[in-house]
Amino acid sequence: MSGFKSVDTITDDFPNDGKAANCSRLDDDKQHHSRTLLIDNYDSYSNILAHVIAECQDNSSLPLTVRNDAISVSDIRFLVKEHLIDRIVISPGPGTPSSGICDSGVVDALLNAKDELVRGVPIFGVCFGFQAIAFRYGWDVVRARHPKHGEVSEVTVKEEEDKEESRRGGLLFKGVPRVFNATRYHSLEALFPGKRKEAEKEVRGEEELVALAWADVVESEKENGGGGGGGEEGGTVMALRHKVYPQYGVQFHPESICTEPHGKTIVKNFMDIADAYWKEKRGEMEEEEEGNETTTTISEERKTVLMKLVNASRETQDKKSSNKSSNKKQKKSAYRLHAREVSLLDSPTRSEDVFRTLFSDKKNAFWLDSATADGSSGTNDSNGDNDTPRGRFSVMGCQGGPLWRRVEARMNGKLVVMNNQDEIVKSYHHGGNGSILEYMDEELKRFNVSEENFATCIVDEVNAVKDGESVKGLPEALLFACGFVGSLSYETREECDSPIFFANDSSSNSNTMVKAALYFVDQAVVVDHEKKMVYAMTLTEDGPETEDLFEALEWLATTTLDINRSLLNKVKHVADEMPKKTVVTQNCTQLAESIGFKWRDDKEEYMEKIKTSQERILDGHTYEVCLTNALTRRDVGAYKQTRHLYRELYYALRERNPAPYAAFFDFSNGAGEEKAHFSDMYVCCASPERFLRCDQNGNLEAKPIKGTIARVEPLGCAEDVKAVRDLQTSVKDNAENLMIVDLLRNDLSLACEVGTVKVPGLLKIESYRTVHQLVSTVVGTLPSTSSGENHAEGNADDDDKRISPIRAFQFAFPPGSMTGAPKYRTTQIIHELENEQPREMYSGSVGFWSCRNKAFDANVVIRSVTYKDGEMKIGAGGAITRLSDPLEEWGEVELKARRIVETVAEVERKLEREREIKDYSSYA
């Protein structure tokens, strides 16, 4: 889902308060607020642009946002005539305006409209919108001489106010420095009519646009405000306006984090210009309209559809502004959380010891592992300011109590659910609007744990008194309170405004392709690395004492004893050391091939695809392509499919490559119904990247990674420190990261309250054992009330609805750091370049989705090895931009895969030796 509703398909799912029937005008100034129509050209920055527009309005109202193929010029005319919109913003987007409706949709027809009412509407074009305006009035839009993507440039303004400008309402660059920095994302540029052939000039007529600002201007020309008349010697045109109509455009991105604060000022100036225009022209244009009987009209049915869209958007804003501080009590949940705690303060025990003791030989085991916080798994950094991130909590468990479920969704629409007795309790093909994300949303709603329960779920037996029990709660920072754990594959994007078309969609490939593999866990153990505590928790039905309740409490008591036993077992695990890292002289590809792996695309094929990606970039179809490759080994021998191999592999992986968002999942099959309905899978992941986190209060956080450089041993040496500086100053890596930061800001803005999407950490270094990485942090807050699409049905309190956190996850998925931008078009390019092969678990997310108000924490699945039905796979890739060097990009792919391949090779050698010794002992 994109968060957009096509007005061609809007029906009764939008609220109708009766206003649609009479289409009454809002002529009263007290009622009427100036309103913006934002035409979205399928871009990944349109929604953060919508937030910028909202922040420029006194009532913080979001614009009416519609995609370019979901509205007509006649629709726009109706909206203008009824005073429902006063101005239009044309968003950035992929493609070129010269392709007509293919890339432009309604934009081409809008700019060529003959109707004076439509033609007179103030228009502001951004990037693609800027180019569309330029192309409409005879300029050439061609490959840029200075293409830029995620790069910050100086923009030089030459805009002088005269009587005409004063009448128009002022300058577009009022209050903006004459030279300022702005972010650019464009492969094409608009050239002045003087650059065209004389014959074209005669056909297209006189120049109608005035250039207002330039970039790529040499120092001598800055003194003249751009100089050269805007020709080749005068740099790249960055802004323009029409001489007669209130139409403006900027080539740079005013909504980018690195154009702040001037971008917002420019948008506000345009809005003021539009208001001044209507103040002068409204009456005059209405008089002309009354005598116009030949204008195109739309049907009453279409008017009703449009009014529903407008009213739904207004109602959303009214609810947000009037219900921001609701503190109503939650409804009582039908389920209750119980917990016990064990202190680790006087013990050297690590979470690995707890997992080995409790779950190493258990079926359907899982471990969401903050490995960098676990004892000796830390790293040495190149300097004291760049500490490796340390997650606070690790969550682990296995097949549990009566509420436990195993869930698998496949690409053919099949969803299967199994209970703890290995019985299939649900098996169906979800159709229509059904999806794995909607299933999760509904289940978390049903099993919701109240905040009151969360704060009183631990019985403190030590301090209990005779007349009652002393109770306390779990740590406020702990989001997990039982719920879903598992993996959502990259192909889950089909539910997230990212359609997928496989060449063999009807074949068995679609039937076996796993979209999601999950457990709903009602019993779990959580390690608090910061407070040195371990918590055992279980979820039960709330009500009279039942056999299930007694069994749950017995599990708590037994598990608490087992945790204490793990404190004594530490010495046993020290003796069971992982194989020591051996010196490997082979490169990654040679080592991988020596143990049976093969790249999907070899070196030459991958570099050719990099070049193809760059051609797509230069043609304007994308800014950045996150291209990936995969090492695959098929027909894995029987002994390599054992549970023992993958657990040993994960232990070694976390030891050699500890990461804050690591994970192990045993989705292996048993017999009977489970084997008949579920895939046989393992996931071993050492991810350093958080995709998205949402706490119980609706606060979102994303931590995209873009920019990687190898560490130099000994860690912290002068060369290692230099590697950090090289990464910090790399134009390419900074641009890659900035593009994804703006993309994440856009994705969060689909769900978040206006003004809450921020970037508290931009382009920061995080250091791990093998690499330094460039990491940013993007945050936002969900509104406390429904957004008009019933997003919040999953909240336990129906009287204080807000957008469901699962919905926010859906808006942002798949991770932008694994796609590039614009996401919609770029995922299509990736699908083609990667031979229409699924990425499966790689590039997706592993994490938890909690019963505590649907809070979640999910990573990006990278630095991983997965197994499924006889095939092992290791994924690796990188962001391709116009600045990418194909050979260096191939080197980065090998760097990212190498540590995983080495670990697989060493663990398999160790287990092979053990097997040989065992066989020899048996023979002897």
Side-chain angles (χ1 to χ4, degrees):
M1 300 294 176
S2 67
F4 296 97
K5 289 277 187 175
S6 167
V7 294
D8 292 318
T9 59
I10 296 167
T11 53
D12 292 334
D13 56 344
F14 277 91
N16 181 3
D17 59 3
K19 295 178 186 176
N22 56 34
C23 298
S24 58
R25 294 188 181 184
L26 302 178
D27 290 323
D28 190 332
D29 286 340
K30 293 181 180 180
Q31 280 187 296
H32 178 63
H33 295 291
S34 57
R35 191 65 189 273
T36 304
L37 170 65
L38 173 60
I39 299 175
D40 171 41
N41 292 299
Y42 284 84
D43 194 58
S44 285
Y45 303 140
S46 298
N47 297 292
I48 197 63
L49 178 59
H51 274 226
V52 171
I53 292 168
E55 289 182 61
C56 292
Q57 300 200 146
D58 293 337
N59 63 347
S60 297
S61 61
L62 286 163
L64 181 62
T65 304
V66 183
R67 281 187 164 165
N68 65 18
D69 55 359
I71 195 168
S72 68
V73 172
S74 297
D75 294 335
I76 293 172
R77 189 181 195 287
F78 167 76
L79 294 172
V80 175
K81 182 180 178 182
E82 297 300 326
H83 300 190
L84 298 172
I85 62 168
D86 301 292
R87 49 187 173 252
I88 298 172
V89 176
I90 304 172
S91 85
T96 171
S98 63
S99 68
I101 195 171
C102 179
D103 292 327
S104 301
V106 73
V107 172
D108 184 63
L110 171 67
L111 294 174
N112 283 283
K114 304 299 183 183
D115 187 305
E116 283 300 317
L117 182 63
V118 175
R119 198 170 186 186
V121 178
I123 294 175
F124 181 63
V126 177
C127 198
F128 182 92
F130 162 90
Q131 294 168 6
I133 293 172
F135 185 76
R136 159 63 181 86
Y137 293 105
W139 291 34
D140 290 327
V141 177
V142 298
R143 278 195 176 186
R145 295 158 295 163
H146 309 284
K148 304 286 182 182
H149 303 93
E151 295 172 64
V152 179
S153 300
E154 282 191 350
V155 174
T156 303
V157 178
K158 183 183 180 183
E159 183 185 32
E160 298 178 0
E161 187 166 14
D162 53 24
K163 291 182 179 179
E164 178 63 20
E165 292 294 342
S166 298
R167 187 184 65 79
R168 285 172 174 266
L171 300 174
L172 185 65
F173 290 94
K174 180 181 178 181
V176 176
R178 183 171 161 276
V179 178
F180 68 98
N181 288 332
T183 307
R184 294 162 63 184
Y185 296 98
H186 67 101
S187 302
L188 310 177
E189 69 170 307
L191 291 181
F192 274 72
K195 302 299 293 181
R196 298 193 318 263
K197 296 177 182 178
E198 289 301 316
E200 291 176 325
K201 203 177 219 179
E202 292 173 7
V203 171
R204 297 185 185 183
E206 294 299 321
E207 180 182 332
E208 298 180 70
L209 301 178
V210 178
L212 304 177
W214 289 262
D216 313 312
V217 179
V218 299
E219 289 298 321
S220 62
E221 290 164 345
K222 287 184 182 179
E223 301 301 320
N224 299 316
E232 185 169 341
E233 70 280 9
T236 307
V237 179
M238 286 286 111
L240 50 73
R241 68 167 173 83
H242 195 275
K243 287 184 175 180
V244 178
Y245 296 106
Q247 297 179 3
Y248 296 79
V250 293
Q251 177 65 81
F252 57 86
H253 281 237
E255 80 286 354
S256 172
I257 187 66
C258 287
T259 310
E260 290 184 353
H262 305 306
K264 189 182 298 183
T265 301
I266 293 164
V267 173
K268 180 65 168 65
N269 287 342
F270 165 72
M271 294 167 72
D272 290 342
I273 290 169
D275 290 345
Y277 171 83
W278 282 119
K279 187 175 182 180
E280 177 185 353
K281 292 287 188 178
R282 178 76 71 181
E284 177 184 326
M285 294 185 73
E286 285 181 354
E287 287 180 8
E288 292 178 2
E289 184 64 20
E290 288 177 3
N292 189 349
E293 299 179 356
T294 61
T295 54
T296 304
T297 60
I298 58 176
S299 68
E300 291 300 317
E301 180 182 5
R302 183 66 174 171
K303 291 178 182 178
T304 300
V305 169
L306 291 167
M307 287 302 299
K308 283 185 178 182
L309 177 62
V310 171
N311 289 330
S313 183
R314 281 181 177 163
E315 287 168 5
T316 296
Q317 195 58 45
D318 290 343
K319 288 178 181 178
K320 287 181 180 180
S321 61
S322 62
N323 294 292
K324 288 183 179 179
S325 59
S326 175
N327 292 307
K328 297 177 182 178
K329 188 176 180 180
Q330 284 186 313
K331 286 184 177 180
K332 182 176 176 60
S333 173
Y335 295 87
R336 186 163 189 82
L337 190 69
H338 311 268
R340 297 289 185 273
E341 63 180 9
V342 176
S343 174
L344 298 178
L345 283 175
D346 298 322
S347 169
T349 299
R350 303 188 303 164
S351 62
E352 181 177 335
D353 304 312
V354 178
F355 182 82
R356 282 178 179 267
T357 300
L358 273 65
F359 306 115
S360 64
D361 60 346
K362 293 295 194 324
K363 181 183 178 183
N364 301 132
F366 72 91
W367 184 7
L368 296 170
D369 180 17
S370 295
T372 48
D374 197 20
S376 62
S377 291
T379 70
N380 295 317
D381 297 314
S382 58
N383 62 64
D385 297 327
N386 299 325
D387 292 335
T388 302
R390 296 165 60 89
R392 177 172 170 180
F393 299 101
S394 293
V395 183
M396 59 187 72
C398 64
Q399 186 164 327
L403 302 179
W404 181 92
R405 298 288 185 269
R406 179 176 179 180
V407 182
E408 183 171 297
R410 297 187 179 178
M411 287 298 293
N412 64 356
K414 186 177 182 181
L415 189 147
V416 184
V417 182
M418 183 184 76
N419 66 15
N420 70 332
Q421 300 300 313
D422 294 347
E423 300 167 336
I424 303 301
V425 295
K426 184 178 291 187
S427 179
Y428 65 95
H429 283 74
H430 56 268
N433 293 324
S435 72
I436 185 61
L437 294 175
E438 289 184 6
Y439 170 80
M440 293 167 65
D441 203 42
E442 287 301 313
E443 290 297 283
L444 292 177
K445 172 185 177 181
R446 182 159 70 99
F447 291 109
N448 185 73
V449 170
S450 71
E451 287 300 291
E452 180 183 6
N453 174 201
F454 190 85
T456 58
C457 63
I458 299 177
V459 176
D460 187 356
E461 297 168 342
V462 174
N463 298 316
V465 292
K466 293 181 180 179
D467 57 349
E469 292 181 324
S470 174
V471 296
K472 58 182 178 179
L474 291 163
E476 179 67 14
L478 174 60
L479 302 182
F480 187 74
C482 293
F484 287 104
V485 297
S487 173
L488 296 176
S489 77
Y490 174 76
E491 279 67 44
T492 305
R493 70 187 180 88
E494 73 162 354
E495 299 181 14
C496 310
D497 192 36
S498 186
I500 303 172
F501 303 98
F502 288 107
N504 299 314
D505 202 36
S506 60
S507 70
S508 59
N509 185 48
S510 175
N511 294 331
T512 60
M513 196 185 303
V514 176
K515 181 164 66 174
L518 302 162
Y519 296 129
F520 182 88
V521 296
D522 60 350
Q523 298 172 352
V525 171
V526 178
V527 178
D528 184 341
H529 299 280
E530 181 179 304
K531 299 298 183 183
K532 302 294 183 183
M533 300 292 291
V534 181
Y535 303 97
M537 62 174 67
T538 184
L539 186 69
T540 68
E541 289 191 52
D542 192 16
E545 295 181 349
T546 63
E547 184 178 345
D548 285 348
L549 176 59
F550 285 124
E551 288 180 358
L553 296 178
E554 182 180 355
W555 178 86
L556 279 179
T558 302
T559 302
T560 302
L561 290 174
D562 289 341
I563 293 170
N564 281 306
R565 183 163 56 88
S566 74
L567 309 186
L568 304 175
N569 287 351
K570 170 70 176 174
V571 66
K572 294 182 181 179
H573 300 325
V574 171
D576 188 22
E577 292 182 349
M578 290 295 101
K580 299 297 183 182
K581 183 179 184 299
T582 57
V583 177
V584 179
T585 57
Q586 299 167 300
N587 64 36
C588 176
T589 298
Q590 292 169 335
L591 178 59
E593 290 176 348
S594 73
I595 57 173
F597 283 93
K598 182 179 180 180
W599 286 110
R600 182 190 66 223
D601 299 315
D602 64 25
K603 180 179 179 180
E604 296 304 319
E605 291 170 333
Y606 191 75
M607 290 198 297
E608 191 61 35
K609 289 183 177 182
I610 292 171
K611 295 174 184 177
T612 301
S613 299
Q614 291 176 315
E615 283 298 306
R616 300 293 179 87
I617 291 168
L618 293 174
D619 284 339
H621 295 294
T622 178
Y623 313 133
E624 175 179 31
V625 178
C626 293
L627 190 65
T628 71
N629 205 348
L631 283 165
T632 303
R633 183 172 66 183
R634 295 181 174 84
D635 301 321
V636 179
Y639 89 95
K640 293 178 181 177
Q641 298 176 34
T642 64
R643 185 173 295 150
H644 180 57
L645 166 67
Y646 291 96
R647 298 195 185 201
E648 291 298 310
L649 177 57
Y650 181 68
Y651 296 147
L653 190 61
R654 76 185 299 272
E655 182 69 22
R656 297 210 175 92
N657 199 35
Y661 310 111
F664 170 78
F665 276 88
D666 174 357
F667 290 114
S668 61
N669 275 340
E673 290 294 307
E674 184 176 28
K675 188 170 185 178
H677 288 86
F678 291 90
S679 297
D680 194 33
M681 296 188 298
Y682 292 91
V683 178
C684 301
C685 177
S687 175
E689 182 172 2
R690 167 178 280 155
F691 166 46
L692 194 60
R693 175 184 187 269
C694 182
D695 70 15
Q696 75 279 9
N697 298 315
N699 297 307
L700 294 163
E701 180 189 74
K703 290 180 72 68
I705 291 176
K706 270 287 166 279
T708 302
I709 194 169
R711 298 204 66 171
V712 181
E713 294 188 354
L715 304 185
C717 68
E719 286 300 309
D720 196 35
V721 174
K722 180 180 181 298
V724 170
R725 289 198 300 268
D726 290 344
L727 184 58
Q728 287 175 319
T729 56
S730 166
V731 173
K732 172 185 175 292
D733 291 311
N734 277 263
E736 285 181 18
N737 197 286
L738 177 56
M739 278 188 265
I740 303 305
V741 167
D742 280 339
L743 172 58
L744 262 297
R745 291 171 65 234
N746 180 83
D747 289 349
L748 265 59
S749 71
L750 275 164
C752 289
E753 190 78 61
V754 171
T756 67
V757 179
K758 307 287 186 183
V759 184
L762 182 63
L763 305 175
K764 302 296 184 182
I765 294 290
E766 288 183 359
S767 301
Y768 297 85
R769 284 196 177 169
T770 59
V771 295
H772 300 294
Q773 300 203 288
L774 208 54
V775 184
S776 296
T777 303
V778 184
V779 300
T781 302
L782 299 178
S784 60
T785 58
S786 173
S787 73
E789 285 192 64
N790 286 331
H791 292 179
E793 290 179 351
N795 197 314
D797 184 3
D798 291 334
D799 295 323
D800 185 23
K801 294 180 179 179
R802 62 181 173 86
I803 291 177
S804 167
I806 299 294
R807 186 70 162 152
F809 181 93
Q810 185 181 28
F811 284 146
F813 195 85
S817 60
M818 301 305 294
T819 63
K823 189 184 285 186
Y824 192 96
R825 179 72 64 88
T826 305
T827 53
Q828 294 172 334
I829 294 170
I830 288 170
H831 190 57
E832 174 191 336
L833 291 175
E834 296 182 1
N835 307 330
E836 297 189 1
Q837 293 298 306
R839 291 181 176 180
E840 299 183 292
M841 299 306 168
Y842 175 69
S843 297
S845 285
V846 163
F848 69 74
W849 293 263
S850 172
C851 293
R852 188 184 182 194
N853 214 16
K854 300 184 184 176
F856 65 81
D857 200 351
N859 75 1
V860 179
V861 180
I862 52 177
R863 317 292 195 274
S864 61
V865 55
T866 59
Y867 167 86
K868 175 177 171 289
D869 297 331
E871 179 179 272
M872 288 183 72
K873 184 179 288 187
I874 299 169
I880 309 305
T881 72
R882 68 176 183 85
L883 298 174
S884 295
D885 177 272
L887 187 59
E888 290 180 0
E889 291 295 339
W890 174 257
E892 183 175 325
V893 167
E894 289 208 308
L895 170 65
K896 290 173 178 176
R898 184 181 183 89
R899 181 55 64 97
I900 310 297
V901 173
E902 288 176 351
T903 305
V904 172
E906 289 166 9
V907 170
E908 289 187 349
R909 279 197 297 267
K910 172 180 178 282
L911 295 181
E912 185 72 23
R913 286 195 300 270
E914 290 177 355
R915 188 170 70 89
E916 290 172 353
I917 292 171
K918 183 178 179 180
D919 290 345
Y920 178 80
S921 299
S922 299
Y923 176 78

